């Protein structure tokens, strides 16, 4: 029965590309419009068919992780690209539409992200082994979208360019006090303190990141300029000349967006500048991927620009500049996935095959939503005063110096 139902669902859903499916009984059928991309998946467990009907996205991800769904010709990226293109075309199965809508309506519950639950959510993802992340990231351990000013840039060069771009938008002067909300492993704080002579207070909820960032600060001899704290941004009470937050807003959750920007406004001095770098949606608000929420980023949410504008407007802060780094994150993620696959033997020594398939699925899905759907990266430059930043964008672009820095 479930094979018949799934066949009907796939005939309605796969309208673009070519997907060949081999069912558990050995029957094979082809769906789509006979165009590229092409992919072939095999279902090994009869129970998976019912799950694919009831919860397609979750069942596909879990089936791949568990090995009850395997991908042959076309690879995982080909199969996922077909599914994502078809979903974008509006042919999403009714049950998936209902689940997406329910997830959207339940955001106040699913993403409430209290101080306690926020710590737990962060630990789920960021307290994996630092050695694992070192296999995938650049040496500075930048785990956010790089800035590819030129297509020939390496990941290391693009991450250095990202930090330089952010530093220019912060309009730094020596001696300024900077708050880094979600400082990660401390790479940006180290760069700002070392290269711009500012004092940085970094906040993280990850014990691993706090330990590593603190050690890096000590090794760099910058303990007089950088203070890394294991603290929630909602607990900070001081004021700062500059605030930077890179890749943290996605972990706040929709119900906390107003609180987040209220705190940014309260912590920023009257003549200060804040730079918020975050994944965002170029379209209307929607629910979050249930698979990503369960396995990768519990409590996470990618806000639309519409959802960001409203709470910022309530604070009275000015949008001094808004930039969309569209395909930069797809390039970044491809570099991470390449390194992950290159170092697979070392990853396998740390984690089992299910973890490896889970991580591969995560990286591939994220690449494709930036290439095929409405996700981008926003950089929001904010200030209490309309003249807190220069009146034109000329100061942001120094191509000769940037190219020299990238080549070093």
């Amino acid at each position: 029965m479930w094979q018949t139902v799934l066949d009907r669902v796939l005939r309605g859903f796969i309208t673009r590309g070519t997907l060949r499916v081999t069912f558990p009984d050995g029957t094979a059928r082809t769906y789509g419009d006979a165009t590229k991309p092409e992919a072939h998946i095999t279902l090994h467990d009869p129970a998976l068919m019912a799950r694919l009907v009831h919860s397609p996205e979750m069942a596909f991800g879990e089936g791949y992780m568990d090995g009850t769904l395997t991908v042959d010709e076309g690879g995982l990226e080909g199969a996922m690209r077909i599914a994502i293109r078809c979903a974008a075309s509006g042919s999403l199965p009714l049950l998936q539409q209902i689940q997406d809508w329910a997830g959207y309506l339940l955001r106040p519950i699913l993403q409430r992200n209290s101080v306690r639950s926020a710590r737990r959510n962060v630990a789920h993802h960021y307290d994996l082994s630092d050695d694992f992340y070192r296999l995938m990231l650049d040496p500075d351990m930048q785990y956010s979208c790089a800035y590819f000013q030129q297509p020939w840039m390496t990941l290391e060069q693009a991450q250095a360019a990202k930090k330089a771009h952010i530093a220019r938008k912060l309009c730094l002067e020596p001696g300024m006090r900077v708050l880094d909300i979600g400082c990660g492993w401390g790479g940006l704080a180290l760069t700002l303190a070392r290269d711009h002579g500012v004092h940085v207070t970094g906040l993280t909820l990850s014990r691993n990141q706090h330990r590593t960032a603190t050690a890096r600060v000590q090794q760099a001899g910058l303990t007089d300029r950088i203070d890394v704290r294991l603290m929630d941004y909602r607990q900070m009470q001081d004021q700062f000349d500059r605030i930077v937050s890179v890749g943290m807003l996605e972990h706040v959750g929709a119900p906390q967006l107003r609180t987040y920007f209220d705190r940014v406004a309260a912590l920023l001095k009257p003549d200060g500048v804040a730079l918020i770098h975050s994944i965002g949606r170029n379209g209307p608000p929607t629910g979050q991927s249930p698979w990503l929420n369960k396995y990768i980023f519990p409590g996470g949410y990618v806000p639309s620009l519409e959802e960001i504008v409203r709470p910022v407007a309530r604070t009275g802060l000015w949008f001094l500049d808004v930039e969309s780094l569209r395909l930069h994150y797809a390039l970044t993620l491809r570099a991470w996935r390449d390194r992950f696959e290159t170092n697979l033997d070392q990853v396998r020594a740390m984690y089992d095959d299910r973890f490896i398939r889970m991580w591969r699925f995560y990286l591939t899905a994220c690449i494709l939503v930036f290439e095929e759907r409405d996700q981008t990266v926003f950089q929001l430059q904010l200030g209490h005063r309309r003249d807190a930043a220069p009146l034109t964008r000329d100061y942001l672009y120094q191509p000769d110096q940037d190219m020299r820095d990238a080549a070093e």
Side-chain angles (χ1 to χ4, degrees):
M1 173 189 124
W2 286 113
Q3 182 168 317
T4 301
V5 176
L6 180 58
D7 173 64
R8 188 180 303 121
V9 169
L10 290 173
R11 278 190 276 118
F13 175 54
I14 304 299
T15 56
R16 298 185 178 185
T18 306
L19 181 66
R20 181 176 173 82
V21 179
T22 298
F23 292 92
D25 66 357
T27 303
R29 292 193 175 90
T30 301
Y31 305 91
D33 60 2
T35 62
K36 295 185 180 302
E38 301 175 352
H40 177 199
I41 66 173
T42 299
L43 310 180
H44 302 279
D45 182 1
L48 181 59
M49 294 187 291
R51 292 168 54 209
L52 284 166
V53 171
H54 288 123
S55 185
E57 180 183 336
M58 185 68 78
F60 188 95
E62 291 182 335
Y64 179 75
M65 288 165 57
D66 296 336
T68 56
L69 180 155
T70 55
V71 184
D72 305 303
E73 296 89 353
L76 179 63
E77 182 171 325
M80 294 182 74
R81 191 181 295 276
I82 291 170
I84 288 173
R85 283 186 180 177
C86 291
S89 71
S91 63
L92 204 62
L94 179 60
L95 279 174
Q96 185 67 61
Q97 294 181 48
I98 293 172
Q99 289 166 15
D100 289 350
W101 182 241
Y104 176 75
L105 294 177
L106 291 172
R107 291 182 307 166
I109 298 172
L110 299 175
Q111 300 167 20
R112 58 187 180 275
N113 291 352
S114 65
V115 172
R116 182 177 180 181
S117 63
R119 287 183 184 274
R120 185 171 61 249
N121 292 339
V122 165
H124 177 92
H125 189 78
Y126 293 98
D127 284 349
L128 297 174
S129 165
D130 283 359
D131 289 337
F132 166 70
Y133 282 109
R134 289 188 182 98
L135 296 176
M136 187 178 72
L137 306 180
D138 66 299
D140 196 44
M141 298 186 78
Q142 290 293 306
Y143 193 26
S144 59
C145 177
Y147 185 49
F148 288 85
Q149 290 173 292
Q150 297 293 334
W152 48 258
M153 279 184 163
T154 64
L155 178 63
E156 287 77 9
Q157 292 167 339
Q159 291 291 14
K162 183 264 301 289
K163 290 184 292 180
H165 196 51
I166 288 172
R168 284 194 292 272
K169 288 187 176 184
L170 287 170
C171 305
L172 298 169
E173 296 177 10
M176 281 184 168
R177 297 183 65 227
V178 179
L179 177 64
D180 184 355
I181 302 176
C183 66
W185 288 280
L188 180 60
L190 287 163
T191 298
L192 298 183
R194 182 185 61 239
D195 298 347
H196 299 275
V198 297
H199 298 268
V200 184
T201 299
L203 306 183
T204 179
L205 293 180
S206 165
R207 295 187 184 279
N208 277 9
Q209 289 185 335
H210 177 260
R211 182 169 54 250
T212 299
T214 300
R216 294 180 70 189
V217 170
Q218 292 172 346
Q219 291 165 6
L222 291 171
T223 54
D224 59 329
R225 293 192 201 171
I226 303 174
D227 175 22
V228 182
R229 303 182 188 181
L230 193 65
M231 177 186 286
D232 190 286
Y233 71 95
R234 288 165 285 192
Q235 299 170 322
M236 175 59 71
Q237 298 298 322
D238 209 346
Q239 280 200 320
F240 297 84
D241 301 294
R242 300 291 186 261
I243 295 176
V244 64
S245 185
V246 179
M248 192 293 192
L249 186 62
E250 306 96 302
H251 298 288
V252 167
Q256 297 292 336
L257 288 173
R258 180 176 175 182
T259 299
Y260 175 86
F261 286 108
D262 282 348
R263 293 309 303 151
V264 169
L267 298 171
L268 186 65
K269 288 184 177 180
D271 59 349
V273 174
L275 192 284
I276 313 300
H277 170 119
S278 172
I279 301 173
R281 295 188 188 278
N282 195 53
T286 185
Q288 190 73 349
S289 161
W291 186 88
L292 280 174
N293 272 141
K294 181 176 180 179
Y295 290 103
I296 307 297
F297 295 120
Y301 179 69
V302 174
S304 69
L305 188 58
E306 171 188 340
E307 292 174 291
I308 293 172
V309 168
R310 194 176 297 116
V312 172
R314 293 179 64 95
T315 67
L317 289 169
W318 279 84
F319 282 97
L320 303 174
D321 188 82
V322 179
E323 184 172 10
S324 176
L325 306 181
R326 290 151 287 126
L327 288 169
H328 292 260
Y329 216 156
L331 295 170
T332 306
L333 286 154
R334 286 195 176 277
W336 291 345
R337 191 180 64 178
D338 287 345
R339 294 177 182 215
F340 172 81
E341 298 291 355
T342 297
N343 294 306
L344 207 54
D345 287 344
Q346 296 178 67
V347 176
R348 189 168 280 113
M350 302 177 190
Y351 300 104
D352 61 17
D353 286 342
R354 188 174 190 269
F355 177 92
I356 289 171
R357 288 192 292 265
M358 178 183 75
W359 208 260
R360 184 182 292 130
F361 191 91
Y362 151 56
L363 293 172
T364 302
C366 290
I367 289 168
L368 293 175
V369 294
F370 281 99
E371 291 182 350
E372 300 284 348
R373 297 303 300 266
D374 62 355
Q375 289 201 158
T376 183
V377 170
F378 292 120
Q379 285 192 345
L380 314 173
Q381 188 190 47
L382 308 173
H384 291 290
R385 289 171 36 176
R386 70 191 76 196
D387 61 350
L391 297 184
T392 72
R393 304 183 93 242
D394 295 349
Y395 71 104
L396 296 179
Y397 303 108
Q398 304 166 18
D400 293 339
Q401 183 61 47
D402 286 348
M403 292 305 101
R404 285 197 296 271
D405 290 345
E408 291 178 356

